[in-house]
């Protein structure tokens, strides 16, 4: 792989200073990072990902103080959330000032910011005198990467360097909360911090998980996070599908070993056999979240053509997992 993947933070910092993009490990998913104040560098991110310009980026910063350099009008709730979850998988949408290029925010008067909880990402951010704009490092619409190799597989020829921080501990993107003046705080995207955890800090919180073609959080597009194989909910599995031609390679993705929620299908009696996988053998939603994207990628790598999945229970991170599954399975 020609030294393209490595742990050289100085090298990554040098590339970023010269306006180049770099693969960035975080605790959630790998990002494709560039100087968040340099429109030229930022435009390369959109080009490499084939990402539409209406989809704004998250600014990654090293400290609350640095976040405050680019934002204003922090509400009490915003302060409480930052204090409780940063560094960590929480993204705050706040009013921006004019240091932030329009390209980062798609012209919005607000900007999304977070401090990632990953030692290499933090070390890098501390060396830089600018924030890093970084979307997930996948081609637009595909499954998010949770290892350096995932980034290399798809974007290796377009990115000069990928910092390797090991497999992502969380595996699912940050939870996005908008804290805007004269509005109640709102969850815009479910993610690695559950709604329950957030409500423990600021009380009951509204959700605005829009699902149309001009969303305020395009991670909320109906179809997103999709592998190439045909992905369908298990309840849609029909007998006819078990009889697909022998060229079809089929798998079932169960949430856990302990509980098969959908009793309609007696999976073990299928002939020919359908391979079985588990998001978390003992039914832990954190582990399932950590596994989800790498499993979806593995189905493509192993050339499965049809995969049926079981929904997660709606507890813990189960809702966020189901959100990703639903979008991953949505028709293109
Ligand atoms: O965990 C994460 O958040 C990862 C890591 C790399 O930090 N990043 C990530 O970025 O998931 P991305 O670009 O794949 O998703 C960011 C989401 C997008 O859906 C975008 O629309 C939303 O954040 N977003 C960014 N700025 C926004 C804003 N000003 N208002 C509303 N939504 C915003
Ligand atoms: Mg993404």
């Amino acid at each position: 792989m020609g030294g393209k993947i490595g742990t050289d933070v100085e090298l990554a910092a040098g590339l970023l200073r010269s306006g180049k993009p770099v693969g960035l490990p975080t605790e959630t998913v790998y990002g494709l990072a560039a100087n968040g104040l340099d429109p030229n560098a930022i435009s390369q991110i959109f080009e490499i990902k084939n990402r539409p310009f209406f989809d704004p980026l998250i600014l990654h910063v090293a400290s609350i103080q640095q976040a405050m350099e680019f934002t204003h009008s922090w509400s009490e709730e915003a302060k409480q959330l930052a204090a409780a979850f940063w560094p960590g998988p929480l993204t705050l949408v706040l009013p921006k000032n004019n240091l932030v290029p329009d390209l980062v925010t798609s012209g919005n008067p607000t900007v999304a910011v977070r401090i990632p909880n990953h030692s290499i990402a933090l070390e890098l951010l501390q060396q830089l005198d600018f924030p890093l704009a970084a979307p997930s490092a996948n081609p637009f619409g595909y499954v998010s990467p949770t290892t350096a190799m995932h980034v290399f597989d798809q974007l290796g020829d377009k990115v000069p360097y990928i910092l390797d921080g090991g497999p992502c501990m969380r595996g699912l993107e940050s939870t996005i909360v908008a804290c805007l003046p004269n509005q109640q705080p709102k969850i815009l995207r479910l993610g690695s911090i559950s709604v329950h955890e957030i409500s423990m800090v600021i009380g009951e919180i509204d959700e605005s998980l829009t699902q149309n073609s001009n969303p305020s959080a395009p991670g909320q597009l109906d179809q997103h996070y999709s592998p190439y194989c045909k992905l369908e909910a298990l309840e849609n599995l029909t007998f006819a599908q078990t009889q697909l031609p022998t060229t079809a390679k089929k798998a079932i993705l169960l949430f856990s070993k302990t509980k098969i929620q959908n009793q309609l299908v007696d999976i073990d009696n299928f002939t020919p056999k359908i391979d079985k996988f588990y998001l978390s053998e003992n039914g832990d939603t954190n582990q399932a979240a950590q596994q989800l994207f790498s499993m979806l990628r593995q189905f493509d790598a192993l050339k499965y053509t049809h995969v049926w999945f079981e929904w997660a229970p709606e507890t813990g991170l189960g809702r966020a997992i189901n959100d990703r599954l639903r979008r991953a399975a949505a028709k293109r």
Side-chain angles (χ1 to χ4, degrees):
M1 58 198 84
K4 275 217 165 178
I5 301 183
T7 55
D8 190 340
V9 175
E10 310 278 323
L11 175 65
L15 286 163
L16 289 162
R17 283 188 200 104
S18 68
K20 300 276 190 320
V22 160
L24 175 76
T26 82
E27 80 281 32
T28 58
V29 300
Y30 273 71
L32 179 62
N35 179 346
L37 303 182
D38 174 358
N40 257 320
I42 300 161
S43 68
Q44 291 175 54
I45 294 178
F46 285 93
E47 193 180 314
I48 291 171
K49 275 188 61 107
N50 198 15
R51 180 179 175 115
F53 285 110
F54 65 71
D55 195 355
L57 305 176
I58 296 173
L59 278 188
H60 296 71
V61 294
S63 63
I64 295 187
Q65 194 191 342
Q66 193 185 15
M68 288 184 165
E69 286 172 33
F70 307 106
T71 54
H72 59 86
S73 308
W74 283 59
S75 61
E76 269 317 301
E77 288 98 339
K79 289 178 195 159
Q80 288 166 345
L81 288 171
F85 297 114
W86 281 358
L90 172 82
T91 294
L92 290 176
V93 171
L94 297 160
K96 74 158 194 122
N97 61 30
N98 52 22
L99 292 174
V100 184
D102 279 339
L103 204 48
V104 170
T105 66
S106 305
N108 280 299
T110 60
V111 64
V113 282
R114 84 176 188 102
I115 307 178
N117 187 17
H118 190 292
S119 56
I120 292 183
L122 288 171
E123 196 187 324
L124 178 64
L125 283 165
Q126 280 152 11
Q127 288 195 16
L128 299 170
D129 57 5
F130 49 81
L132 290 175
S136 52
N138 49 284
F140 186 70
Y142 192 69
V143 185
S144 307
T146 56
T147 67
M149 199 42 117
H150 290 163
V151 182
F152 180 80
D153 285 344
Q154 287 189 306
L155 305 179
D157 55 339
K158 302 185 180 109
V159 184
Y161 193 62
I162 302 162
L163 263 179
D164 191 348
C168 299
M169 297 300 286
R170 298 288 196 146
L172 206 63
E173 288 87 351
S174 59
T175 303
I176 303 181
V177 180
C179 291
L180 301 174
N182 310 316
Q183 291 180 30
Q184 292 299 318
K186 256 188 278 175
I187 295 187
L188 301 184
R189 177 177 74 182
L190 298 174
S192 277
I193 294 177
S194 70
V195 178
H196 177 71
E197 286 175 282
I198 288 174
S199 66
M200 298 285 280
V201 177
I202 58 167
E204 286 288 296
I205 178 164
D206 290 341
E207 295 174 17
S208 173
L209 312 172
T210 43
Q211 292 158 36
N212 51 50
S213 56
N214 187 21
S216 58
Q220 305 303 17
L221 286 171
D222 262 349
Q223 190 269 317
H224 211 84
Y225 314 107
S226 302
Y228 301 126
C229 61
K230 189 166 166 54
L231 193 64
E232 279 186 89
L234 193 50
E235 65 254 26
N236 298 335
L237 178 55
T238 63
F239 179 74
Q241 285 168 316
T242 71
Q243 308 298 302
L244 286 166
T246 48
T247 49
K249 191 172 170 191
K250 294 162 283 183
I252 285 185
L253 178 59
L254 293 168
F255 175 70
S256 71
K257 260 193 174 157
T258 46
K259 186 172 174 220
I260 296 179
Q261 295 188 333
N262 191 312
Q263 304 294 347
L264 297 173
V265 212
D266 194 357
I267 303 151
D268 288 323
N269 295 335
F270 285 163
T271 47
K273 190 168 145 296
I274 301 186
D275 297 333
K276 269 192 286 183
F277 296 83
Y278 302 93
L279 277 180
S280 167
E281 294 205 358
N282 56 16
D284 171 4
T285 59
N286 293 310
Q287 187 188 27
Q290 202 255 340
Q291 292 293 315
L292 176 66
F293 286 143
S294 72
M295 286 241 172
L296 294 181
R297 269 178 192 261
Q298 199 192 339
F299 292 133
D300 282 346
L302 298 175
K303 305 254 177 333
Y304 282 94
T305 55
H306 297 73
V307 177
W308 290 272
F309 64 85
E310 181 186 34
W311 297 105
E314 295 264 303
T315 53
L317 296 185
R319 278 191 67 207
I321 292 169
N322 288 342
D323 170 83
R324 301 303 191 271
L325 282 168
R326 186 166 50 74
R327 295 176 206 281
K331 298 279 176 301
R332 252 160 264 235

